[in-house]
Amino acid sequence: MSLPSDPALTLALFCRVVDNYGDIGICWRLARQLQREHGIVVTLWVDDLPSFRRICPEVDPSAALQQINGVTVRHWTTQDGEFTQADIADIVIEFFACDIPPGYIAAMAQCEPRPVWFNLEGLTAEAWVEGCHTLPSSHPRLPLTKHFFFPGFTAKTGGLMREAALDGERRQFQADATVMAAFLGQFGLTAQEMASTKISLFCYPHAPVAALFGAWQGGAQAITCLVPEGVATQAVDAFLGSASRPGAAATRGALTVRVLPFVPQPDYDRLLWACDLNFVRGEDSFVRAQWAGRPFIWHIYPQDENLHHKKLRAFLQRYAAGLDSLSALSLCWNGATQDEPDPAPLWPAFDAALPALHAHADEWQRQMLANGDLTSNLLNFAASLRSSRPG
C-alpha cells in the first residue's frame, strides 16, 4: 500500500508556536508539501496566527477556520475540547511533543481503524537519535500507540525536509545573474551592493552582532548585510543611527547594512540562495540554509543549562570536521566558548576559508540528498504501519 496514492487520506498536524517563526515555519512547509506532492488532505492546527502571518501573508489572524494553498488552517485554542470520530484524521502529527487536545486523543481511541500517530521531534545531530527514531510509545490508558519520528542527518533518521523541486529551482536561480539581480533589486540593493559580499543575518537578540559589524566595517572587503525587520534591532539601530525599518540602509566603512521586510517562505529561500554567507537561527532557517548550498552560521535556540551547546557541538562534529574557522566562529556566535567570546578576531580566518566552505556546502548537500526527504520518509513509514494493522 502506498500512502501518497490514496486520494482520501487525511492528516492533522498540531503546532504550538514556541520559537516565533521556526515551529510554524516547519509545520507550514510540511503541510504544503503533504498536500502538493502527495495529495494528502491536511488540517493544520496552530495556536499563534499572527506569527504565522509573518511568513504567510494570506493568513487571517482573526479566522478560526480558513483555507490557504489547499491546506485547512484552524486556530487552536484552549476551548478545543470536544471531538467526534468524524473529526479524526487518518494520520495525526504532534510537532515537538505539543500535547494535542485530550478530547482529540479520546476520539482517536474510538476510531476503527485507529489513526497513525506521530510525535515529530526537533532536529538534532546527537547520536542517540538513531536509536530512538520510529520507536513506539503506548498510551498509558487508551489503546493507542504513538511513534517518534526524528529528522536528522543520517540514513538511520527521517532525513531533512525538502520539496521535490527545491534543488532544481535553487540551481536555476543561482545560475541566472539577471534573475538574482532582479530579486535583490526589489529590496533596494544597488549594483555596488550586489557586487559586494552579501550576508543575510537572522539571529536571536543575544547574538554578538555589534562586534561582528565592527569587524566588517573596518575590513578591506565591501560587505552588504541584509537583516529582516525586527532582528538584532539594538545593533542595527546603533549602526543606522535611527530606528530600523524596512528599506532603511546605511554605509559605514566597508559595511552596508540594509533592513528587509519579513518575506514569505519562498522569498526567504531565494534570499539564502542569493547571499554568499547566511546567518540563520532555530530549526527552519537552519535546514533551509543547508539546502541553499552556501556557507552558514547557525544560531541555535537557547535552552536551560546550556543544553543547546551540546546540540551545537554534535552538529559541528558532523558538519564542520576539519573546518576549524567555521567551528570557532559558530561556537563564539552561540556563546559556547570562553576562549574567544568576541567574533571580530575570528572573522579574518573565517573569511579566508569561505571558498573552501562553499565547496563543503555543496558536498554536504549531496550527502543530505542521499537520505531522502523527511516528508516522503514519514509517509512511507506510516504506510508500513497502516498495512501491518489487522483487517
Side-chain angles (χ1 to χ4, degrees):
M1 177 180 181
S2 173
L3 282 180
S5 65
D6 186 345
L9 202 68
T10 58
L11 183 145
L13 173 58
F14 288 83
C15 173
R16 288 201 184 280
V17 177
V18 179
D19 177 7
N20 289 348
Y21 313 110
D23 305 287
I24 185 56
I26 294 165
C27 290
W28 181 229
R29 291 189 195 279
L30 176 60
R32 284 183 298 164
Q33 188 181 4
L34 286 162
Q35 191 277 328
R36 290 178 179 177
E37 297 183 12
H38 301 282
I40 310 296
V41 179
V42 180
T43 299
L44 172 60
W45 295 78
V46 58
D47 66 336
D48 184 350
L49 293 176
S51 288
F52 189 4
R53 190 174 189 272
R54 296 295 300 277
I55 61 170
C56 179
E58 296 92 335
V59 171
D60 178 354
S62 65
L65 177 68
Q66 53 194 304
Q67 195 81 7
I68 306 172
N69 295 347
V71 175
T72 298
V73 176
R74 301 195 61 165
H75 186 201
W76 181 10
T77 70
T78 55
Q79 286 73 43
D80 295 312
E82 298 297 327
F83 297 90
T84 67
Q85 295 180 45
D87 298 319
I88 306 305
D90 300 310
I91 302 174
V92 178
I93 300 176
E94 58 183 49
F95 180 69
F96 209 17
C98 62
D99 292 330
I100 61 180
Y104 197 96
I105 296 174
M108 287 167 59
Q110 300 301 314
C111 293
E112 191 60 46
R114 295 183 181 90
V116 174
W117 183 11
F118 288 120
N119 178 10
L120 179 57
E121 284 284 356
L123 175 63
T124 179
E126 294 168 288
W128 61 264
V129 165
E130 293 184 342
C132 295
H133 179 57
T134 72
L135 281 182
S137 174
S138 298
H139 193 279
R141 294 181 293 100
L142 300 173
L144 292 169
T145 299
K146 174 168 55 179
H147 286 81
F148 295 93
F149 201 89
F150 284 85
F153 304 98
T154 73
K156 294 181 180 180
T157 68
L160 301 177
M161 194 180 303
R162 171 183 51 84
E163 300 84 355
L166 182 66
D167 191 51
E169 291 173 354
R170 189 265 303 182
R171 292 183 183 277
Q172 183 177 12
F173 179 90
Q174 290 177 336
D176 193 328
T178 301
V179 169
M180 195 179 304
F183 172 76
L184 293 172
Q186 68 180 311
F187 301 117
L189 270 75
T190 66
Q192 185 177 10
E193 290 167 9
M194 291 184 195
S196 68
T197 297
K198 296 174 292 298
I199 301 175
S200 76
L201 178 64
F202 189 37
C203 61
Y204 296 111
H206 57 283
V209 174
L212 201 53
F213 277 2
W216 293 345
Q217 180 178 338
Q221 181 178 348
I223 290 176
T224 300
C225 182
L226 306 175
V227 189
E229 60 177 312
V231 172
T233 52
Q234 185 173 357
V236 173
D237 289 355
F239 186 88
L240 296 175
S242 62
S244 55
R245 64 188 186 283
T251 299
R252 300 179 186 277
L255 173 62
T256 297
V257 173
R258 185 172 288 277
V259 182
L260 274 54
F262 245 85
V263 296
Q265 283 184 329
D267 278 348
Y268 183 68
D269 280 326
R270 295 183 185 99
L271 177 64
L272 297 176
W273 300 346
C275 288
D276 302 292
L277 170 65
N278 296 300
F279 284 74
V280 293
R281 80 181 200 191
E283 182 172 327
D284 183 52
S285 60
F286 170 50
V287 172
R288 304 312 280 193
Q290 293 175 64
W291 294 131
R294 294 287 192 258
F296 66 91
I297 296 292
W298 180 30
H299 203 196
I300 188 170
Y301 186 76
Q303 293 180 293
D304 292 338
E305 300 180 358
N306 288 328
L307 291 178
H308 57 297
H309 290 167
K310 182 179 179 180
K311 294 182 177 181
L312 173 65
R313 288 188 171 91
F315 174 71
L316 292 174
Q317 285 174 4
R318 291 189 184 276
Y319 181 79
L323 302 173
D324 293 344
S325 61
L326 174 58
S327 292
L329 186 57
S330 297
L331 292 169
C332 174
W333 189 246
N334 284 274
T337 177
Q338 297 181 3
D339 295 337
E340 182 51 78
D342 183 350
L346 302 174
W347 175 252
F350 181 87
D351 185 41
L354 270 178
L357 296 179
H358 273 268
H360 175 69
D362 280 337
E363 175 56 31
W364 176 259
Q365 188 180 73
R366 283 191 288 270
Q367 294 176 32
M368 295 303 100
L369 285 169
N371 296 329
D373 75 278
L374 180 139
T375 304
S376 297
N377 291 340
L378 184 145
L379 289 177
N380 288 335
F381 181 57
S384 70
L385 295 175
R386 284 169 61 84
S387 63
S388 64
R389 293 186 306 194

